[in-house]
Amino acid sequence: MRIFIFTLIVLFSFGSSQNDQKLQYELAIENQVNKFRAKYKRANLKSDDCLKKAAQLHADYLLTEKNLSHFQKNKELKTPEDRVKKSNCEYIIILENVAYFEFENLPAPEEGAEKLVNLWIQSKGHKENMINKMVTQFGTAVAFDFTNKKVVAVQVFSK
């Protein structure tokens, strides 16, 4: 297991494509959220591909919008629950965090992840989602708009 994780980190470190950058950001966000949870004596959350799909649906949508919201205009994808269902998942609890920041020069993944997680920490509802005792897994997605210099992150939590 340690060899796999080390290999994964090494591969991410040398990648320069936007997809590699996206994966680095997502991994850094998940690591920082789990570190934050540890301060509250909460178990680490496990990454879930189905929840990641739901998060990506919303991150991509939010890039096209001027305001952050947990809702979409598309009726099939209107709520976090709808997006999870569209991703062919079913869970007992569904919670969602959304955030974005603008940049002049895109920060390194650790720095960008820290910005996003700190935005969530400063919001009572988003902070509560991150430290919720009942959630056991999460899916994280980021989307980049290099024209408008914006990063959007969505994290979906569940049990």
Side-chain angles (χ1 to χ4, degrees), residues 58-99:
H58 200 47
D60 292 340
Y61 171 81
L62 289 174
L63 272 188
T64 67
E65 296 298 304
K66 293 184 179 178
N67 299 311
L68 282 183
S69 173
H70 292 284
F71 302 99
Q72 292 191 18
K73 295 172 189 163
N74 179 339
K75 288 183 182 181
E76 287 183 14
L77 303 174
K78 186 172 181 102
T79 68
E81 292 82 3
D82 294 334
R83 294 185 288 276
V84 167
K85 186 176 179 182
K86 181 74 172 177
S87 300
N88 296 316
C89 314
E90 285 190 36
Y91 300 99
I92 298 169
I93 298 168
I94 298 169
L95 307 171
E96 181 181 73
N97 283 358
V98 298

CSV table of all heavy atoms in Angstrom, one decimal, residues 58-99:
chain,number,residue,atom,x,y,z
A,58,HIS,N,-21.2,19.1,-10.9
A,58,HIS,CA,-21.5,20.5,-10.3
A,58,HIS,C,-20.4,21.4,-10.5
A,58,HIS,O,-20.6,22.6,-10.8
A,58,HIS,CB,-21.9,20.4,-8.9
A,58,HIS,CG,-22.7,21.6,-8.4
A,58,HIS,ND1,-23.8,22.1,-9.1
A,58,HIS,CD2,-22.6,22.3,-7.3
A,58,HIS,CE1,-24.3,23.1,-8.5
A,58,HIS,NE2,-23.6,23.3,-7.4
A,59,ALA,N,-19.1,21.0,-10.4
A,59,ALA,CA,-18.0,21.9,-10.6
A,59,ALA,C,-18.0,22.4,-12.0
A,59,ALA,O,-17.8,23.6,-12.2
A,59,ALA,CB,-16.7,21.1,-10.2
A,60,ASP,N,-18.2,21.5,-13.0
A,60,ASP,CA,-18.2,22.0,-14.4
A,60,ASP,C,-19.4,23.0,-14.6
A,60,ASP,O,-19.2,24.0,-15.3
A,60,ASP,CB,-18.4,20.8,-15.3
A,60,ASP,CG,-17.2,19.9,-15.3
A,60,ASP,OD1,-16.1,20.3,-14.9
A,60,ASP,OD2,-17.3,18.7,-15.7
A,61,TYR,N,-20.5,22.7,-14.0
A,61,TYR,CA,-21.6,23.7,-14.1
A,61,TYR,C,-21.3,25.0,-13.5
A,61,TYR,O,-21.6,26.1,-14.1
A,61,TYR,CB,-22.9,23.1,-13.4
A,61,TYR,CG,-24.0,24.0,-13.3
A,61,TYR,CD1,-24.9,24.3,-14.4
A,61,TYR,CD2,-24.2,24.7,-12.1
A,61,TYR,CE1,-25.9,25.2,-14.3
A,61,TYR,CE2,-25.3,25.6,-12.0
A,61,TYR,CZ,-26.1,25.8,-13.1
A,61,TYR,OH,-27.2,26.7,-12.9
A,62,LEU,N,-20.7,25.0,-12.3
A,62,LEU,CA,-20.4,26.3,-11.6
A,62,LEU,C,-19.4,27.2,-12.4
A,62,LEU,O,-19.4,28.4,-12.3
A,62,LEU,CB,-19.9,26.0,-10.2
A,62,LEU,CG,-20.9,25.5,-9.2
A,62,LEU,CD1,-20.3,25.1,-7.9
A,62,LEU,CD2,-22.1,26.5,-9.0
A,63,LEU,N,-18.6,26.6,-13.2
A,63,LEU,CA,-17.7,27.4,-14.0
A,63,LEU,C,-18.4,28.3,-15.0
A,63,LEU,O,-17.9,29.3,-15.3
A,63,LEU,CB,-16.7,26.5,-14.9
A,63,LEU,CG,-15.4,26.0,-14.2
A,63,LEU,CD1,-14.6,25.3,-15.3
A,63,LEU,CD2,-14.7,27.2,-13.6
A,64,THR,N,-19.6,27.9,-15.4
A,64,THR,CA,-20.4,28.7,-16.3
A,64,THR,C,-21.3,29.7,-15.6
A,64,THR,O,-21.9,30.5,-16.3
A,64,THR,CB,-21.3,27.7,-17.2
A,64,THR,OG1,-22.3,27.1,-16.3
A,64,THR,CG2,-20.5,26.6,-17.9
A,65,GLU,N,-21.4,29.7,-14.3
A,65,GLU,CA,-22.2,30.5,-13.6
A,65,GLU,C,-21.4,31.7,-12.9
A,65,GLU,O,-20.3,31.5,-12.6
A,65,GLU,CB,-23.0,29.8,-12.5
A,65,GLU,CG,-23.9,28.7,-13.0
A,65,GLU,CD,-25.0,29.3,-13.9
A,65,GLU,OE1,-25.8,30.2,-13.4
A,65,GLU,OE2,-25.2,28.9,-15.0
A,66,LYS,N,-22.1,32.8,-12.7
A,66,LYS,CA,-21.5,33.9,-12.0
A,66,LYS,C,-21.5,33.8,-10.5
A,66,LYS,O,-20.7,34.4,-9.8
A,66,LYS,CB,-22.1,35.2,-12.4
A,66,LYS,CG,-21.9,35.5,-13.9
A,66,LYS,CD,-22.5,36.8,-14.3
A,66,LYS,CE,-22.2,37.0,-15.8
A,66,LYS,NZ,-22.7,38.3,-16.3
A,67,ASN,N,-22.4,33.0,-9.9
A,67,ASN,CA,-22.6,32.9,-8.5
A,67,ASN,C,-22.4,31.4,-8.1
A,67,ASN,O,-22.9,30.5,-8.8
A,67,ASN,CB,-23.9,33.4,-8.0
A,67,ASN,CG,-24.1,34.9,-8.3
A,67,ASN,OD1,-23.2,35.7,-8.0
A,67,ASN,ND2,-25.2,35.2,-8.9
A,68,LEU,N,-21.9,31.2,-6.9
A,68,LEU,CA,-21.9,29.8,-6.3
A,68,LEU,C,-23.3,29.5,-5.8
A,68,LEU,O,-24.0,30.3,-5.2
A,68,LEU,CB,-20.9,29.8,-5.2
A,68,LEU,CG,-19.5,29.7,-5.5
A,68,LEU,CD1,-18.6,29.5,-4.2
A,68,LEU,CD2,-19.2,28.5,-6.4
A,69,SER,N,-23.6,28.3,-6.0
A,69,SER,CA,-24.9,27.8,-5.5
A,69,SER,C,-24.8,26.2,-5.4
A,69,SER,O,-24.0,25.6,-6.0
A,69,SER,CB,-26.0,28.1,-6.5
A,69,SER,OG,-27.3,27.5,-6.1
A,70,HIS,N,-25.7,25.7,-4.5
A,70,HIS,CA,-25.8,24.3,-4.5
A,70,HIS,C,-26.8,23.7,-5.4
A,70,HIS,O,-27.1,22.5,-5.5
A,70,HIS,CB,-26.1,23.8,-3.0
A,70,HIS,CG,-25.0,24.1,-2.1
A,70,HIS,ND1,-23.9,23.3,-2.0
A,70,HIS,CD2,-24.9,25.1,-1.2
A,70,HIS,CE1,-23.1,23.8,-1.1
A,70,HIS,NE2,-23.7,24.9,-0.5
A,71,PHE,N,-27.4,24.6,-6.2
A,71,PHE,CA,-28.5,24.2,-7.1
A,71,PHE,C,-28.2,24.6,-8.6
A,71,PHE,O,-27.4,25.5,-8.8
A,71,PHE,CB,-29.8,24.9,-6.7
A,71,PHE,CG,-30.2,24.6,-5.3
A,71,PHE,CD1,-29.9,25.5,-4.3
A,71,PHE,CD2,-30.8,23.4,-5.0
A,71,PHE,CE1,-30.2,25.2,-3.0
A,71,PHE,CE2,-31.1,23.1,-3.7
A,71,PHE,CZ,-30.8,24.0,-2.7
A,72,GLN,N,-28.7,23.8,-9.5
A,72,GLN,CA,-28.6,24.0,-10.9
A,72,GLN,C,-29.9,24.3,-11.5
A,72,GLN,O,-31.0,24.0,-11.0
A,72,GLN,CB,-28.0,22.8,-11.6
A,72,GLN,CG,-26.5,22.5,-11.2
A,72,GLN,CD,-25.9,21.4,-12.1
A,72,GLN,OE1,-26.4,21.1,-13.2
A,72,GLN,NE2,-24.8,20.9,-11.6
A,73,LYS,N,-29.9,24.9,-12.7
A,73,LYS,CA,-31.1,25.2,-13.5
A,73,LYS,C,-31.7,23.9,-14.1
A,73,LYS,O,-32.9,23.8,-14.2
A,73,LYS,CB,-30.8,26.3,-14.5
A,73,LYS,CG,-30.5,27.6,-13.9
A,73,LYS,CD,-30.0,28.6,-15.0
A,73,LYS,CE,-29.4,29.8,-14.4
A,73,LYS,NZ,-28.6,30.6,-15.3
A,74,ASN,N,-30.8,23.0,-14.5
A,74,ASN,CA,-31.2,21.7,-15.1
A,74,ASN,C,-32.0,20.9,-14.0
A,74,ASN,O,-31.4,20.6,-13.0
A,74,ASN,CB,-29.9,21.0,-15.5
A,74,ASN,CG,-30.2,19.7,-16.1
A,74,ASN,OD1,-31.3,19.0,-15.9
A,74,ASN,ND2,-29.3,19.2,-16.9
A,75,LYS,N,-33.2,20.6,-14.3
A,75,LYS,CA,-34.1,19.9,-13.4
A,75,LYS,C,-33.5,18.5,-13.0
A,75,LYS,O,-33.7,18.1,-11.8
A,75,LYS,CB,-35.5,19.7,-13.9
A,75,LYS,CG,-36.3,21.0,-14.0
A,75,LYS,CD,-37.7,20.8,-14.4
A,75,LYS,CE,-38.4,22.2,-14.5
A,75,LYS,NZ,-39.8,22.0,-14.9
A,76,GLU,N,-32.9,17.8,-13.9
A,76,GLU,CA,-32.3,16.5,-13.6
A,76,GLU,C,-31.1,16.6,-12.6
A,76,GLU,O,-30.8,15.6,-12.0
A,76,GLU,CB,-31.9,15.8,-14.9
A,76,GLU,CG,-33.0,15.3,-15.7
A,76,GLU,CD,-32.5,14.5,-16.9
A,76,GLU,OE1,-31.3,14.2,-17.0
A,76,GLU,OE2,-33.3,14.3,-17.8
A,77,LEU,N,-30.5,17.8,-12.6
A,77,LEU,CA,-29.3,17.9,-11.8
A,77,LEU,C,-29.4,19.0,-10.7
A,77,LEU,O,-28.4,19.6,-10.2
A,77,LEU,CB,-28.1,18.2,-12.7
A,77,LEU,CG,-27.7,17.2,-13.8
A,77,LEU,CD1,-26.6,17.7,-14.6
A,77,LEU,CD2,-27.4,15.8,-13.2
A,78,LYS,N,-30.6,19.4,-10.4
A,78,LYS,CA,-30.9,20.6,-9.6
A,78,LYS,C,-30.3,20.6,-8.2
A,78,LYS,O,-29.6,21.5,-7.8
A,78,LYS,CB,-32.4,20.8,-9.5
A,78,LYS,CG,-32.8,22.0,-8.8
A,78,LYS,CD,-34.3,22.3,-8.8
A,78,LYS,CE,-34.6,23.6,-8.1
A,78,LYS,NZ,-34.9,24.7,-9.0
A,79,THR,N,-30.3,19.5,-7.5
A,79,THR,CA,-29.8,19.4,-6.1
A,79,THR,C,-28.6,18.4,-6.1
A,79,THR,O,-28.4,17.6,-6.9
A,79,THR,CB,-30.9,18.9,-5.2
A,79,THR,OG1,-31.2,17.5,-5.5
A,79,THR,CG2,-32.2,19.7,-5.3
A,80,PRO,N,-27.9,18.5,-4.9
A,80,PRO,CA,-26.8,17.5,-4.8
A,80,PRO,C,-27.4,16.1,-4.8
A,80,PRO,O,-26.7,15.2,-5.4
A,80,PRO,CB,-26.3,17.8,-3.4
A,80,PRO,CG,-26.6,19.3,-3.2
A,80,PRO,CD,-27.9,19.5,-3.9
A,81,GLU,N,-28.5,15.9,-4.3
A,81,GLU,CA,-29.1,14.5,-4.3
A,81,GLU,C,-29.4,14.1,-5.8
A,81,GLU,O,-29.2,12.9,-6.1
A,81,GLU,CB,-30.4,14.5,-3.5
A,81,GLU,CG,-30.2,14.6,-2.0
A,81,GLU,CD,-30.1,16.1,-1.5
A,81,GLU,OE1,-30.2,17.1,-2.4
A,81,GLU,OE2,-29.8,16.3,-0.3
A,82,ASP,N,-29.9,15.0,-6.6
A,82,ASP,CA,-30.1,14.7,-8.0
A,82,ASP,C,-28.8,14.3,-8.7
A,82,ASP,O,-28.8,13.4,-9.5
A,82,ASP,CB,-30.8,15.9,-8.7
A,82,ASP,CG,-32.2,16.2,-8.2
A,82,ASP,OD1,-32.9,15.3,-7.7
A,82,ASP,OD2,-32.6,17.4,-8.4
A,83,ARG,N,-27.8,15.0,-8.4
A,83,ARG,CA,-26.5,14.8,-9.1
A,83,ARG,C,-25.9,13.4,-8.7
A,83,ARG,O,-25.3,12.7,-9.5
A,83,ARG,CB,-25.5,15.9,-8.9
A,83,ARG,CG,-26.0,17.2,-9.5
A,83,ARG,CD,-25.0,18.3,-9.4
A,83,ARG,NE,-24.9,18.9,-8.1
A,83,ARG,CZ,-25.7,19.8,-7.6
A,83,ARG,NH1,-26.7,20.3,-8.3
A,83,ARG,NH2,-25.5,20.3,-6.4
A,84,VAL,N,-26.1,13.1,-7.4
A,84,VAL,CA,-25.6,11.8,-6.9
A,84,VAL,C,-26.5,10.7,-7.6
A,84,VAL,O,-25.9,9.7,-8.0
A,84,VAL,CB,-25.7,11.7,-5.4
A,84,VAL,CG1,-25.6,10.3,-4.9
A,84,VAL,CG2,-24.7,12.6,-4.7
A,85,LYS,N,-27.8,10.9,-7.7
A,85,LYS,CA,-28.6,9.9,-8.3
A,85,LYS,C,-28.3,9.7,-9.8
A,85,LYS,O,-28.2,8.6,-10.3
A,85,LYS,CB,-30.1,10.3,-8.2
A,85,LYS,CG,-31.1,9.3,-8.7
A,85,LYS,CD,-32.5,9.7,-8.4
A,85,LYS,CE,-33.5,8.7,-9.0
A,85,LYS,NZ,-34.9,9.1,-8.8
A,86,LYS,N,-28.0,10.8,-10.5
A,86,LYS,CA,-27.6,10.8,-11.9
A,86,LYS,C,-26.3,10.0,-12.1
A,86,LYS,O,-26.0,9.4,-13.1
A,86,LYS,CB,-27.4,12.2,-12.4
A,86,LYS,CG,-27.1,12.4,-13.8
A,86,LYS,CD,-28.2,12.0,-14.7
A,86,LYS,CE,-27.9,12.3,-16.2
A,86,LYS,NZ,-28.9,12.0,-17.1
A,87,SER,N,-25.4,10.0,-11.0
A,87,SER,CA,-24.2,9.3,-11.1
A,87,SER,C,-24.3,7.8,-10.7
A,87,SER,O,-23.4,7.1,-10.5
A,87,SER,CB,-23.2,10.0,-10.1
A,87,SER,OG,-22.9,11.3,-10.5
A,88,ASN,N,-25.6,7.4,-10.6
A,88,ASN,CA,-26.0,6.0,-10.3
A,88,ASN,C,-25.5,5.6,-8.9
A,88,ASN,O,-25.0,4.5,-8.7
A,88,ASN,CB,-25.4,5.1,-11.3
A,88,ASN,CG,-26.1,5.3,-12.7
A,88,ASN,OD1,-27.3,5.5,-12.8
A,88,ASN,ND2,-25.3,5.3,-13.7
A,89,CYS,N,-25.7,6.5,-7.9
A,89,CYS,CA,-25.3,6.2,-6.5
A,89,CYS,C,-26.5,6.4,-5.6
A,89,CYS,O,-27.4,7.1,-5.9
A,89,CYS,CB,-24.2,7.2,-6.0
A,89,CYS,SG,-22.9,7.5,-7.1
A,90,GLU,N,-26.5,5.7,-4.5
A,90,GLU,CA,-27.5,5.9,-3.5
A,90,GLU,C,-26.8,5.9,-2.1
A,90,GLU,O,-26.0,5.0,-1.8
A,90,GLU,CB,-28.5,4.8,-3.5
A,90,GLU,CG,-29.5,4.9,-4.7
A,90,GLU,CD,-30.7,4.0,-4.6
A,90,GLU,OE1,-31.1,3.7,-3.4
A,90,GLU,OE2,-31.1,3.5,-5.6
A,91,TYR,N,-27.1,6.9,-1.3
A,91,TYR,CA,-26.5,7.0,0.0
A,91,TYR,C,-27.6,7.5,1.0
A,91,TYR,O,-28.6,8.1,0.6
A,91,TYR,CB,-25.3,8.0,0.0
A,91,TYR,CG,-24.2,7.6,-1.0
A,91,TYR,CD1,-24.1,8.2,-2.3
A,91,TYR,CD2,-23.3,6.7,-0.6
A,91,TYR,CE1,-23.1,7.8,-3.1
A,91,TYR,CE2,-22.3,6.3,-1.5
A,91,TYR,CZ,-22.2,6.8,-2.7
A,91,TYR,OH,-21.2,6.4,-3.6
A,92,ILE,N,-27.3,7.3,2.2
A,92,ILE,CA,-28.2,7.7,3.3
A,92,ILE,C,-28.2,9.2,3.5
A,92,ILE,O,-29.2,9.9,3.7
A,92,ILE,CB,-27.9,7.0,4.6
A,92,ILE,CG1,-28.1,5.5,4.4
A,92,ILE,CG2,-28.7,7.5,5.8
A,92,ILE,CD1,-27.5,4.7,5.5
A,93,ILE,N,-27.0,9.8,3.5
A,93,ILE,CA,-26.7,11.2,3.8
A,93,ILE,C,-26.0,11.8,2.6
A,93,ILE,O,-25.1,11.2,2.1
A,93,ILE,CB,-25.9,11.4,5.0
A,93,ILE,CG1,-26.5,10.9,6.3
A,93,ILE,CG2,-25.5,12.9,5.2
A,93,ILE,CD1,-25.6,10.8,7.5
A,94,ILE,N,-26.4,13.0,2.2
A,94,ILE,CA,-25.6,13.7,1.1
A,94,ILE,C,-25.5,15.1,1.6
A,94,ILE,O,-26.4,15.8,1.8
A,94,ILE,CB,-26.4,13.6,-0.2
A,94,ILE,CG1,-26.5,12.2,-0.7
A,94,ILE,CG2,-25.6,14.5,-1.3
A,94,ILE,CD1,-27.4,12.0,-1.9
A,95,LEU,N,-24.2,15.6,1.7
A,95,LEU,CA,-23.8,16.9,2.0
A,95,LEU,C,-22.9,17.5,0.9
A,95,LEU,O,-22.2,16.7,0.3
A,95,LEU,CB,-23.1,17.0,3.4
A,95,LEU,CG,-23.9,16.3,4.6
A,95,LEU,CD1,-22.9,16.2,5.8
A,95,LEU,CD2,-25.1,17.1,4.9
A,96,GLU,N,-22.9,18.8,0.7
A,96,GLU,CA,-22.1,19.3,-0.3
A,96,GLU,C,-21.4,20.6,0.1
A,96,GLU,O,-22.0,21.5,0.7
A,96,GLU,CB,-22.9,19.6,-1.6
A,96,GLU,CG,-22.2,20.1,-2.8
A,96,GLU,CD,-23.1,20.4,-3.9
A,96,GLU,OE1,-23.9,21.4,-3.9
A,96,GLU,OE2,-23.1,19.6,-4.9
A,97,ASN,N,-20.1,20.8,-0.3
A,97,ASN,CA,-19.4,22.0,-0.1
A,97,ASN,C,-19.0,22.5,-1.5
A,97,ASN,O,-18.6,21.7,-2.4
A,97,ASN,CB,-18.1,21.8,0.7
A,97,ASN,CG,-18.4,21.7,2.2
A,97,ASN,OD1,-19.5,21.8,2.6
A,97,ASN,ND2,-17.3,21.5,2.9
A,98,VAL,N,-19.1,23.8,-1.7
A,98,VAL,CA,-18.7,24.5,-2.9
A,98,VAL,C,-17.9,25.7,-2.6
A,98,VAL,O,-18.1,26.3,-1.6
A,98,VAL,CB,-19.9,24.9,-3.9
A,98,VAL,CG1,-20.7,23.7,-4.3
A,98,VAL,CG2,-20.8,25.9,-3.2
A,99,ALA,N,-16.9,26.0,-3.4
A,99,ALA,CA,-16.0,27.1,-3.2
A,99,ALA,C,-15.3,27.4,-4.5
A,99,ALA,O,-15.2,26.6,-5.4
A,99,ALA,CB,-15.0,26.9,-2.1
